Each structure stands twice: as C-alpha cells, then as structure tokens.
Amino acid sequence: MRPRLIMVLAVAAIISGGVLLVPATYAKLATIPGPTDSASATPATQRPALTPPPPTLAAAPVSVPVDGSVAWALLDRESGRIAGSANSATSTNSTESMIKVWIVADFLRRTAEANKKPSDERLEQASQAIRYSSNDPAEALYNAGGRTAVIRRMIVQCRLTGTRLGTVPGYAGWWSFTEMTAQDAVRMGECVKNGRAAGPKWTGWLLNEMRNVWGTTAKEDQRETREGGRWGIIDGLPKEILDREPVSIKNGWTSLVYDVNWHVNCLAITSNWVLAVQVRYPDKRGLDYGAGVCASVAAQLVTPQPGAALKVPRPLTGG
C-alpha cells in the first residue's frame, strides 16, 4: 500500500469517528508491523487461541412470553446490585415452599444463639423441609419459632422492603401465603448465603441441604409427604456453571383453589449471584410450565451466551 493511500485512510478513520474497543480480557491491541518489522510479526496461525471467560449469570435483557405474570431479580454478590424485571420491586407472589429455607434457618440460628444443639428430631425436620419440601416438618419448626414472629424476624434480619404477611381470608398466619417481591427473594437468598439467616454454625449445613434437593415435576414425585423440587433455574444453567460452583436451590409451588392459578417461585444461590423467578399462571398449564419459565429466565442471563463468538480486530497487513 502506498504511503499516500495510508494517509487518506487514516484521515477517513478520524473523520468517521469509528472506534473499536476490545476488552482486555479477550485480546490486546495488535501492533501493526511496519516496513522494518514485518518479517518478525507473529503469523496468525501461530497466535494463541482466545479463551472466553467462564460463564456466569449477569444482568441482560430477558424475554419470556407468559400466560400470566412473571417477575425476576438477579443479585450480583460482588457489587450488591440487583437487576430484574420492571415489576421485580412491586409485584408480589405467595412464597409457598420457597420460604422454608428461612423457617429452617431461623430455627437453627436461634437454637445456636441460645447455646443449644437441635435434637436429632428437629434436625431431621429441618432436612426434610429442605430436601423433600415436606410441609409437616416445616410447620413444626414454624410453630416452634412463634409462627408469624418467624416472618417478622425475616423481614428485619434480611432487610426486606416488599414482604408482608399473607392476607388470604381463612389462611391468616400461614407461612405459605407470605407475599414477597422478586427483589426481596434474592435479598432473602443473600441473607442465607452471607450467614445472617442461619448463623455461622449452620449456614454451610443449610446450603448443602439446598444442593441436595430431591425430585422432579413428575406426578410420581409430587407426593403428600415429600415433593420433588429439583427443577427450574438449574435446568437453565450450562454444565460449565454447574460443574464450577455449587448451586443451592429452594423452590415453592402450589396450584391455589382461591384464584385457580399456579404460584411458582424459584430461588438459586451461588458464591457469585442469587437469582429468583416468580410466576403466576392458569392452573390448566401444570407445574412444568412454571418450571420452564424459571429455566428460560436463567438461560437468558448466562454470560457469555453459549456459542457466542469472541469479536476481535482482524490484523492489518501491508502490501
């Protein structure tokens, strides 16, 4: 290329104002070999392959058509920032079994604070409430904690701003009808992860129980004494995330007679982020529908997206 032509192209680039920025994580700006150093330039075939950063969840646009309503919130644990749907701070859903993680945490923390050790029976109740989402064990711990006092402590301890006791006629004081926003759900999850919920002695135990949640959405796993709850957000996460960091989950779900709708909540906690998805939709669509919405939201927040190509500048050559 002749020197005059190079000058014209340079001026054109400045006038156009085009700037190409490449993140340092992906690539360093290449040095354009000049007339005296072109022979020492590294051939493209010998350049090391670019390695993308490991996938994680990060704020991104989410589009999930729903026959009903959906709200989601994602907390970045490093920055403390919460991203989410436009209604994540205002729309509430009944928590259903998702709140069992707090009921268990509250019991364990208060027991330790009293310098006591939970009995084998109580510890088994705590495990059953998390792993198998069993209602009777959760109810026993809820009663032991003073019923609605348990919810009030959660609001204070986890600094919740959009949570209130349920107001469904005939169901006053039921833990399952506690109303909570998606943003408060991730705050509750962070409260569990950072140890404020269960305290230093029991936080690790609780998170491990949440990693061992049992069962699917299949009818044979939805029993009276144990209900399958291993679905939702984890089904939208790539293997790279599941293999790299433990994911603790607790879902909540019920088809309610009073409004003929499914109320589905999904919560997942890792060392880097906390994600909550809340869905409400017609009863006729079944549990798989809500589980799929939770998975879809999670999949759309994976960064970088699977198969995304790294964009790097092509090397310029003289001639």
Side-chain angles (χ1 to χ4, degrees), residues 6-24:
I6 294 175
M7 179 65 70
V8 170
L9 291 177
V11 172
I14 294 172
I15 294 175
S16 66
V19 179
L20 177 62
L21 298 178
V22 181

Side-chain angles (χ1 to χ4, degrees), residues 38-53:
S38 59
S40 62
T42 302
T45 56
Q46 297 180 15
R47 292 180 187 140
L50 297 175
T51 303

Side-chain angles (χ1 to χ4, degrees), residues 5-236:
L5 181 55
I6 294 175
M7 179 65 70
V8 170
L9 291 177
V11 172
I14 294 172
I15 294 175
S16 66
V19 179
L20 177 62
L21 298 178
V22 181
T25 306
Y26 292 165
K28 294 182 179 179
L29 293 176
T31 301
I32 303 174
T36 59
D37 61 1
S38 59
S40 62
T42 302
T45 56
Q46 297 180 15
R47 292 180 187 140
L50 297 175
T51 303
T56 186
L57 296 196
V62 170
S63 177
V64 185
V66 175
D67 181 13
S69 64
V70 60
W72 64 271
L74 175 68
L75 184 146
D76 182 312
R77 297 199 65 243
E78 182 177 1
S79 67
R81 294 175 181 171
I82 298 177
S85 56
N87 61 347
S88 62
T90 56
S91 177
T92 64
N93 202 21
S94 59
T95 58
E96 307 307 328
S97 291
M98 182 179 69
I99 204 171
K100 288 172 181 171
V101 66
W102 168 260
I103 296 172
V104 169
D106 182 64
F107 173 79
L108 294 172
R109 185 194 72 258
R110 293 176 69 244
T111 300
E113 288 173 348
N115 295 317
K116 296 180 179 179
K117 180 181 178 181
S119 66
D120 291 344
E121 179 185 8
R122 289 298 196 198
L123 206 54
E124 180 64 17
Q125 288 174 338
S127 179
Q128 294 282 320
I130 300 298
R131 292 194 181 212
Y132 304 113
S133 204
S134 299
N135 290 327
D136 288 347
E139 186 73 11
L141 297 176
Y142 187 60
N143 289 334
R147 296 189 64 78
T148 57
V150 175
I151 308 303
R152 293 188 176 93
R153 283 194 294 270
M154 175 183 67
I155 293 172
V156 174
Q157 191 84 357
C158 298
R159 302 164 190 171
L160 307 185
T161 60
T163 297
R164 64 179 185 272
L165 294 171
T167 58
V168 178
Y171 299 96
W174 284 38
W175 46 262
S176 56
F177 290 129
T178 302
E179 291 287 326
M180 182 181 289
T181 64
Q183 288 197 16
D184 268 6
V186 296
R187 291 187 183 105
M188 181 183 72
E190 171 63 14
C191 194
V192 170
K193 181 63 177 176
N194 66 27
R196 286 204 313 270
K201 182 175 179 60
W202 291 103
T203 293
W205 181 92
L206 177 56
L207 289 169
N208 184 66
E209 291 297 300
M210 296 172 70
R211 293 178 196 127
N212 288 280
V213 167
W214 166 90
T216 69
T217 59
K219 185 174 294 186
E220 57 268 25
D221 284 353
Q222 300 301 312
R223 310 172 190 175
E224 185 175 349
T225 57
R226 59 170 58 186
E227 299 176 278
R230 191 169 188 80
W231 42 262
I233 290 171
I234 55 171
D235 294 329

